[in-house]
C-alpha cells in the first residue's frame, strides 16, 4: 500500500498535494541523489530501517525510544542505533559546538565514520542477526547523509522510512535542552548555563547545512514529518502495513505530563478457589479493596481522571466506589482460557496434561484450546496502548494477564519475561512517563488477599 502525499493536522484532517503516482514496481536505479530510491526486487517482509531526521533538541531520541519499545512489544526484533553514542566512543565526549560546524572538515570525517559504523552494525543486525526493524537515531540533516543511508539499505533490500521532527516552538526546544541534553555525557560536569549556550551554538551550526525533507526532491521516498511534537503531521508514500501503523502510533504520542495507574480487580470468588477465568463477583476482601482504591486515588490528588475497566463483573465492581464515569472496554477482558474456563491449574494438569506441559514450555506463544495466547492478547490490547498514549491521567482496572502486557509495554520487558511479571492483587502500579522511559511505583493496599502468582516452572517433556 502506498499513499499519496498528505498533510494532517492534530485533529486528523488531511489534504492531498503533489499527486505523484509512480508506475515503476520499484523506484529509480541507480541512486543519484537522496531524492531517488535504488532498484530493489520485491521482497516480502523485508526488514526496515527507520531513520530519524531533524535538528538537535527536536525529540528524535524520544521518538526513537518510543518506536523501538512499541515495535518490540508487538513482536518485532528491533534495535536502536544512536550515532551520537558511536561518535562518543570513537572521539570522546565533551566536544564543543565548533566540532559540529559544517566547515570543520576533520570533524566531518569523524562524524561520518561514526555514521558508517552505526550503519554497518545496523546491516549486520538486519541481514545476519535476525533483526526485523532498526531505528537509526541521528540528525541525518542533509540529503548527502540520507543518501548514505539509502545506499547502505535499499541495495540490500532493507526498506527505509524517514521520520523528521520539526519544531520552531522555542519553549519546547528550551525544555528539551534543559531536561535531556544537559544530562548528556557531552555536558557532564559542565556549568548548566555554559552547557545551554554551547548547545544552542551547536544547533545554529546544524542549521547552516540543514535540508528538510522536500515534496519534490524527496517525492519517491517514504517519510513522515511531525511538527511541534503533535501539532501537525505530513506523510509521503507510506509503503505497507507496518509504516501505516507507525504513522498512526506517532499521531497518538505526546509529551504532556501525566500518570497512568494500573491495578487488578479486587479479590474475586474464583481467586479464592484458585480458578482461572470466569466472571465471578468480588469476595468480601475484594469489596474492601474497592473502597480502599477510592481513598487511595483521593490521596493521590486525582480528582479528575478517566476510569477504564473490562466488561467483566469483578473489574466493574472494583470501580464502583470511584467518583467519575467508568468506561468499559471489551479489549481489557482477561485472557480467554477457552476450554479451561473456571478450572484450577491442578484440574487443567489432570484433564489436559500435554496442553499443560506445552504451556510451561512457551507461555507467551501457547494458546489455550479454543482460547487465546499472550501473543494474541498483546495484539488485542494494541488499541488500548494507542488510547493510553493519547490520554492524560487514567486509572485502568484490569486483570493479571492484561496488566502484565500493559506493564511490559511501558517498561520495555521482553516477551519471555512478560508472562511472569508479578502484578499482585490489591496492589496499584503508578507509571510516570519520563524523557526516555517510564518510572514505576508500586503501592500495596493493606487488604489481605490470595496470591495468584505461579512462578516459571522447570521445562518438562510434553510427550511429543
Amino acid at each position: 500500500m502506498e499513499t499519496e502525499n498528505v498533510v494532517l493536522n492534530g485533529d486528523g484532517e488531511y489534504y492531498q498535494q503533489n499527486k505523484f503516482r509512480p508506475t515503476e514496481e520499484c523506484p529509480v536505479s541507480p541512486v543519484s541523489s537522496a531524492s531517488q530510491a535504488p532498484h530493489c526486487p520485491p521482497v516480502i517482509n523485508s526488514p526496515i530501517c527507520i531513520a530519524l531526521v531533524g535538528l538537535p533538541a527536536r525529540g528524535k531520541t524520544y521518538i526513537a525510544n518510543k518506536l523501538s519499545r512499541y515495535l518490540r512489544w508487538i513482536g518485532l526484533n528491533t534495535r536502536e542505533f544512536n550515532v551520537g553514542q558511536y561518535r562518543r566512543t570513537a572521539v570522546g565526549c565533551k566536544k564543543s559546538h565548533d566540532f559540529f560546524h559544517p566547515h570543520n572538515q576533520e570533524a566531518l570525517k569523524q562524524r561520518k565514520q561514526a555514521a558508517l559504523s552505526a550503519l554497518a552494525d545496523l546491516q549486520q543486525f538486519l541481514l545476519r542477526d535476525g533483526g526485523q526493524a532498526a531505528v537509526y537515531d541521528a540528525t541525518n540533516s542533509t540529503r548527502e547523509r540520507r543518501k548514505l543511508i539509502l545506499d547502505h539499505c535499499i541495495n540490500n533490500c532493507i526498506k527505509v522510512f524517514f521520520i523528521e521532527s520539526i519544531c520552531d516552538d522555542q519553549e519546547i526546544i528550551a525544555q528539551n535542552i534543559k531536561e535531556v541534553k544537559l544530562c548528556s555525557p557531552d555536558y557532564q560536569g559542565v556549568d548548566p548555563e555554559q552547557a545551554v549556550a554551547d548547545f544552542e551554538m551547536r544547533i545554529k551550526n546544524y542549521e547552516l547545512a540543514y535540508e528538510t525533507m522536500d515534496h519534490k526532491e524527496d517525492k519517491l521516498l517514504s517519510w513522515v514529518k511531525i511538527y511541534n511534537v503533535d501539532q501537525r503531521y505530513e506523510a509521503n508514500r507510506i509503503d505497507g502495513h507496518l509504516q501505516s501503523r507507525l504513522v498512526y502510533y506517532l499521531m497518538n504520542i505526546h509529551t504532556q505530563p501525566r500518570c497512568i495507574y494500573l491495578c487488578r480487580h479486587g479479590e474475586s470468588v474464583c481467586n479464592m478457589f484458585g480458578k482461572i477465568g470466569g466472571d465471578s463477583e468480588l469476595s468480601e476482601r475484594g469489596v474492601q479493596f474497592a473502597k480502599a482504591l477510592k481513598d487511595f486515588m483521593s490521596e493521590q490528588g486525582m480528582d479528575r481522571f478517566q476510569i477504564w475497566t473490562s466488561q467483566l463483573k469483578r473489574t466493574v465492581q472494583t470501580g464502583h466506589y470511584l467518583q467519575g464515569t467508568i468506561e468499559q472496554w471489551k479489549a481489557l477482558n482477561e485472557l480467554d482460557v477457552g476450554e479451561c474456563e473456571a478450572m484450577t491449574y491442578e484440574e487443567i494438569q489432570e484433564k489436559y496434561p500435554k496442553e499443560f506441559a506445552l504451556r510451561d514450555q512457551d507461555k507467551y506463544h501457547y494458546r489455550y484450546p479454543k482460547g487465546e495466547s499472550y501473543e494474541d492478547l498483546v495484539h488485542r490490547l494494541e488499541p488500548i496502548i494507542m488510547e493510553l498514549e493519547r490520554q492524560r491521567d487514567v486509572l485502568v482496572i484490569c486483570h493479571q494477564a492484561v496488566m502484565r502486557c500493559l506493564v511490559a509495554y511501558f517498561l520495555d520487558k521482553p516477551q519471555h519475561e512478560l508472562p511472569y511479571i508479578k502484578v499482585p492483587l490489591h496492589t496499584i502500579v503508578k507509571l510516570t512517563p519520563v524523557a526516555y522511559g517510564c518510572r514505576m511505583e508500586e503501592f500495596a493496599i493493606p487488604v489481605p488477599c490470595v496470591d495468584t502468582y505461579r512462578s516459571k516452572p522447570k521445562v518438562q517433556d510434553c510427550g511429543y
Side-chain angles (χ1 to χ4, degrees):
M1 179 186 73
E2 293 182 349
T3 68
E4 299 170 343
N5 183 269
V6 295
V7 176
L8 306 96
N9 62 23
D11 297 321
E13 299 170 344
Y14 69 91
Y15 59 87
Q16 297 178 351
Q17 63 184 43
N18 297 334
K19 292 189 177 181
F20 173 76
R21 285 192 173 92
T23 57
E24 302 89 348
E25 185 174 41
C26 284
V28 185
S29 174
V31 180
S32 60
S33 74
S35 66
Q36 295 177 316
H39 174 75
C40 174
V43 176
I44 297 174
N45 294 331
S46 58
I48 185 171
C49 168
I50 302 163
L52 278 296
V53 177
L55 294 168
R58 265 57 179 183
K60 296 184 301 299
T61 300
Y62 170 79
I63 294 170
N65 287 345
K66 295 279 285 189
L67 283 177
S68 299
R69 177 155 54 90
Y70 166 68
L71 290 170
R72 282 190 286 268
W73 186 73
I74 64 173
L76 294 184
N77 187 8
T78 306
R79 273 185 58 191
E80 297 167 58
F81 296 85
N82 184 289
V83 176
Q85 297 287 5
Y86 282 81
R87 184 255 303 166
R88 294 183 192 100
T89 300
V91 300
C93 305
K94 298 184 179 178
K95 296 294 181 181
S96 72
H97 62 85
D98 293 331
F99 183 81
F100 301 93
H101 197 285
H103 295 158
N104 187 334
Q105 295 301 316
E106 182 61 29
L108 276 175
K109 291 179 183 177
Q110 294 174 332
R111 288 160 55 200
K112 183 176 181 179
Q113 186 55 51
L116 288 170
S117 297
L119 281 171
D121 288 348
L122 182 149
Q123 284 182 294
Q124 171 74 25
F125 172 67
L126 292 179
L127 300 178
R128 297 178 181 84
D129 297 341
Q132 296 167 289
V135 181
Y136 189 71
D137 181 12
T139 55
N140 299 317
S141 53
T142 64
R143 285 197 175 81
E144 180 183 0
R145 183 56 59 84
R146 296 195 286 271
K147 178 181 179 297
L148 190 69
I149 299 170
L150 292 168
D151 287 345
H152 278 73
C153 290
I154 298 187
N155 284 327
N156 288 292
C157 293
I158 298 171
K159 289 185 177 181
V160 179
F161 181 47
F162 292 103
I163 299 173
E164 182 173 10
S165 180
I166 299 172
C167 183
D168 56 12
D169 187 320
Q170 295 305 313
E171 287 188 10
I172 295 176
I173 296 170
Q175 183 180 5
N176 195 11
I177 293 173
K178 181 181 177 181
E179 292 184 357
V180 179
K181 298 304 178 183
L182 295 188
C183 301
S184 163
D186 291 345
Y187 293 107
Q188 283 186 0
V190 179
D191 177 76
E193 290 186 6
Q194 293 179 358
V196 169
D198 183 83
F199 196 83
E200 288 174 346
M201 287 302 299
R202 183 191 296 193
I203 295 173
K204 291 183 183 298
N205 287 338
Y206 271 101
E207 287 174 341
L208 295 174
Y210 182 38
E211 297 172 294
T212 186
M213 303 294 294
D214 183 77
H215 303 132
K216 294 182 180 179
E217 293 288 332
D218 302 310
K219 64 183 180 182
L220 293 180
L221 305 179
S222 297
W223 50 261
V224 62
K225 289 186 179 185
I226 306 170
Y227 294 86
N228 292 326
V229 183
D230 58 359
Q231 187 179 87
R232 188 163 66 95
Y233 307 84
E234 185 176 356
N236 185 76
R237 284 178 65 87
I238 303 305
D239 182 12
H241 176 62
L242 180 58
Q243 290 184 20
S244 298
R245 289 172 78 176
L246 292 176
V247 172
Y248 181 59
Y249 179 77
L250 290 168
M251 292 181 67
N252 283 282
I253 62 176
H254 64 84
T255 58
Q256 298 298 315
R258 63 196 175 117
C259 292
I260 298 168
Y261 294 84
L262 305 175
C263 73
R264 292 172 61 186
H265 53 79
E267 181 189 72
S268 71
V269 175
C270 276
N271 290 149
M272 293 177 63
F273 293 98
K275 296 181 178 181
I276 64 173
D279 190 18
S280 64
E281 312 228 351
L282 292 181
S283 67
E284 289 185 11
R285 297 187 299 191
V287 173
Q288 291 177 36
F289 170 74
K291 294 177 179 178
L293 178 60
K294 174 182 177 297
D295 296 335
F296 172 84
M297 295 305 291
S298 296
E299 291 169 2
Q300 291 286 301
M302 302 295 291
D303 296 324
R304 292 186 178 181
F305 59 95
Q306 297 189 61
I307 307 165
W308 297 356
T309 73
S310 73
Q311 294 182 340
L312 300 178
K313 294 175 186 175
R314 53 193 184 273
T315 62
V316 176
Q317 290 174 353
T318 302
H320 174 72
Y321 299 96
L322 294 165
Q323 300 296 320
T325 303
I326 293 179
E327 185 174 354
Q328 297 182 16
W329 290 74
K330 186 176 181 180
L332 286 172
N333 284 359
E334 179 60 302
L335 178 78
D336 185 354
V337 295
E339 294 181 352
C340 299
E341 188 80 4
M343 294 175 65
T344 66
Y345 286 118
E346 292 75 18
E347 291 170 340
I348 296 170
Q349 187 173 20
E350 181 179 350
K351 188 172 182 179
Y352 305 107
K354 290 183 178 180
E355 291 291 334
F356 192 81
L358 283 170
R359 182 172 184 268
D360 284 346
Q361 286 186 335
D362 186 359
K363 190 175 178 181
Y364 182 82
H365 294 101
Y366 172 79
R367 181 178 289 119
Y368 280 98
K370 299 182 181 179
E372 289 180 306
S373 66
Y374 270 93
E375 184 178 30
D376 297 329
L377 183 56
V378 162
H379 292 298
R380 167 154 59 93
L381 288 171
E382 190 170 356
I384 298 292
I385 290 297
M386 295 295 181
E387 198 61 24
L388 281 174
E389 288 288 4
R390 283 172 54 87
Q391 301 298 333
R392 296 290 293 271
D393 298 325
V394 184
L395 167 64
V396 182
I397 305 172
C398 52
H399 306 267
Q400 181 166 249
V402 171
M403 189 165 166
R404 283 171 171 163
C405 293
L406 298 179
V407 168
Y409 167 77
F410 285 104
L411 298 186
D412 198 13
K413 296 292 186 181
Q415 289 181 354
H416 68 274
E417 291 183 16
L418 186 155
Y420 298 101
I421 296 174
K422 289 186 177 181
V423 285
L425 288 168
H426 299 182
T427 298
I428 300 163
V429 168
K430 179 182 178 180
L431 298 169
T432 306
V434 292
Y436 294 155
C438 197
R439 184 174 68 248
M440 185 178 86
E441 302 171 79
E442 291 184 281
F443 301 89
I445 304 301
V447 176
C449 60
V450 297
D451 182 2
T452 62
Y453 184 75
R454 183 172 179 266
S455 60
K456 187 175 184 177
K458 294 181 180 180
V459 176
Q460 301 177 10
D461 185 1
C462 66
Y464 289 166

